[in-house]
Amino acid sequence: MRKGILISAIVLFVSVSLTAHDGYMWPMAGTAQLSSTFSEYRDGHYHAGIDIRCFGRVGIPCIAVSDGYVNRIRVQPAGYGRALYLKLFNGKTAVYAHLHSFDAALDSL
């Protein structure tokens, strides 16, 4: 999938998969559909997250999968691009990566 088309959030869960019994919310509004799955094999490594299909739409708000706080924000020209690390109160971390933009208040920082 071309990087330009992949504007959706990739949600990485450390030692957890996104399943209903874990009690997590779906991380964005709209249709719950994946474009790739956790541990999918890719050119010599396994994918460490899920890719959420956004059908080319830009600006879809992301939703916290569970209660927690923003632990880290990172912007880099390659890799995850714009990424937000959400430290969940259960001790796990959700990473929202390949984001199109942040909220205006975060962008101003």
Side-chain angles (χ1 to χ4, degrees):
M1 178 177 272
R2 293 187 334 217
K3 187 175 181 180
I5 294 174
L6 183 60
I7 301 173
S8 66
I10 295 178
V11 182
L12 303 174
F13 289 96
V14 178
S15 303
V16 69
S17 62
L18 184 65
T19 58
H21 71 272
D22 288 329
Y24 293 112
M25 304 264 306
W26 186 250
M28 70 180 226
T31 306
Q33 200 170 38
L34 301 178
S35 60
S36 69
T37 60
F38 186 80
S39 77
E40 179 179 290
Y41 187 75
R42 295 183 173 182
D43 291 332
H45 70 281
Y46 290 96
H47 188 236
I50 60 172
D51 292 353
I52 299 172
R53 186 175 301 280
C54 68
F55 303 98
R57 293 178 296 163
V58 175
I60 302 169
C62 292
I63 301 163
V65 295
S66 186
D67 291 337
Y69 59 93
V70 175
N71 185 42
R72 180 180 186 192
I73 295 171
R74 186 164 185 175
V75 178
Q76 57 190 108
Y80 288 160
R82 285 183 183 87
L84 183 139
Y85 294 69
L86 180 66
K87 183 70 170 182
L88 305 178
F89 290 147
N90 66 9
K92 296 176 181 167
T93 301
V95 180
Y96 296 76
H98 303 299
L99 300 171
H100 179 264
S101 62
F102 292 122
D103 177 87
L106 288 177
D107 266 339
S108 69
L109 296 175

